[in-house]
Amino acid sequence: MDISTHSKEIEAAADDVRGDSDTDWCLFGYVGKTDTLKVVDTGEDGLEELVGELNPSSTQYAYVKVEDPNSKLPKFVLINWVPEGAPVNRKGQSARHAQDVHKFLHGAHVTINARNEDDIEEEQVLKLVEKSSGANYSNREGKGSSKFANTNPDKVGSTYTNSYKKDGTGAKQDFWQGQEQAEKDRKKAETARLAEEKQRRSAELREQDEAFKARSEAEAKIHDERIAAEQAERERAEAERRAQYEAELAAHQEIEAEPEPEPE
C-alpha cells in the first residue's frame, strides 16, 4: 500500500479527528485501481453520517472518534470496510492494508472489520469500545451515554439523520449506485468501441490484403508480359540473323557454281 503519496493529507485529517476541531471522522480510499491511499471525506456528525458515506462496492478505511460510555473519554475506532460488493483482489489485500493504515495512524483503540452496516451499528461499536477499556457496561441496561465525543457541547445532541439507514434509498446510496451504473455504461461503451475498432481494423486489413494481392498479380502479369516480349524479340532477331545467314550462304554458293570463263 502507498500511503506516502498523500501522507500529509491523511495525517492532517486524522489529526483533526484527534484534535479540538469539530471533525469526528475521516474516510480513506484508493486512487482508482492503484494501491495509493487518499482522503475521501471527513465529517462532524459521527458514526451515522460516516456510514452514509461508505461505498458499498469499494474497500475503504475510516477513522472515527466516539465517547467511551463508561469513562466519557474520547476513543478512536479504525473501521476496515470490506463490503460484499468490493473487488475480490481488494478483499484479499484488505487485512494487510488495514495493518498498514493502523500502523500509520498509530492511535486506534479499536479496529473493526466490517462487511455491512450491521457490523458498525452504534451499539455494537460502543460495546467494543467499552470492552477495550475493560469496562463492564451495557447500553441496553441504560447505563452511561451512547453519544459520540465532540469537543463542541452544542453538537453533542446532533439531529443528523441518515436517510439511507432510515428508508434505504439515501442520496449517497443513489450517488454510488449512479457511479456504479455510469461505470458499467462506460465499460459497455468501451467494449462496443473496441469491438467496432476491431471490426474496422479487420476490414482495413482485408482491404490492404486484397489491394496487395491485386497489385502483386498486376506486377506479375506485367513481368510475365515483359519476359514474353523480350523472348519474342530475341526469337525475331535470331530469325532475322538466320535468314540473313542463309541468304548470304545461298549467294555464295551461286557464285561458286558459276563456270569459269574459257581462256581465249
Side-chain angles (χ1 to χ4, degrees), residues 20-204:
D20 295 331
S21 72
D22 292 337
T23 301
D24 56 13
W25 64 265
C26 54
L27 181 63
F28 311 116
Y30 297 99
V31 178
K33 295 183 178 180
T34 70
D35 288 339
T36 300
L37 199 67
K38 69 173 182 178
V39 177
V40 175
D41 205 352
T42 61
E44 303 173 358
D45 286 302
L47 190 60
E48 275 195 307
E49 182 185 32
L50 168 62
V51 171
E53 301 296 329
L54 294 172
N55 188 338
S57 60
S58 296
T59 297
Q60 295 176 305
Y61 308 91
Y63 189 61
V64 59
K65 176 169 60 180
V66 301
E67 183 181 276
D68 188 322
N70 191 41
S71 68
K72 306 300 187 292
L73 295 174
K75 294 295 178 71
F76 303 98
V77 179
L78 176 63
I79 298 173
N80 179 23
W81 176 248
V82 189
E84 293 297 332
V88 175
N89 65 315
R90 288 297 190 202
K91 291 180 180 179
Q93 297 170 336
S94 63
R96 185 175 71 256
H97 288 183
Q99 292 177 357
D100 293 338
V101 175
H102 185 277
K103 183 177 179 180
F104 182 81
L105 296 178
H106 55 77
H109 297 95
V110 176
T111 298
I112 300 175
N113 296 317
R115 293 184 177 276
N116 53 60
E117 293 182 18
D118 292 338
D119 294 334
I120 45 178
E121 287 284 350
E122 176 183 342
E123 184 178 6
Q124 178 71 13
V125 172
L126 293 176
K127 281 183 178 181
L128 293 173
V129 169
E130 63 181 347
K131 182 178 179 181
S132 72
S133 63
N136 183 13
Y137 174 83
S138 173
N139 285 326
R140 295 179 181 178
E141 295 175 1
K143 299 177 183 179
S145 171
S146 62
K147 292 183 173 60
F148 297 100
N150 195 312
T151 55
N152 184 350
D154 295 335
K155 297 182 71 65
V156 172
S158 171
T159 58
Y160 172 80
T161 300
N162 186 340
S163 59
Y164 173 63
K165 290 180 70 62
K166 180 180 178 181
D167 56 30
T169 57
K172 287 298 179 182
Q173 180 70 0
D174 291 343
F175 169 78
W176 288 118
Q177 288 177 347
Q179 291 293 304
E180 291 175 10
Q181 185 59 46
E183 179 65 12
K184 289 179 181 179
D185 292 343
R186 185 194 66 78
K187 289 182 178 179
K188 184 177 180 181
E190 180 67 10
T191 300
R193 186 190 68 78
L194 291 175
E196 183 178 352
E197 177 68 16
K198 182 178 180 180
Q199 196 173 35
R200 184 188 64 79
R201 182 58 181 162
S202 297
E204 288 180 353

Side-chain angles (χ1 to χ4, degrees), residues 249-263:
L249 180 61
H252 179 72
Q253 290 175 346
E254 287 180 0
I255 292 174
E256 288 183 347
E258 290 180 0
E260 293 181 2
E262 296 180 358

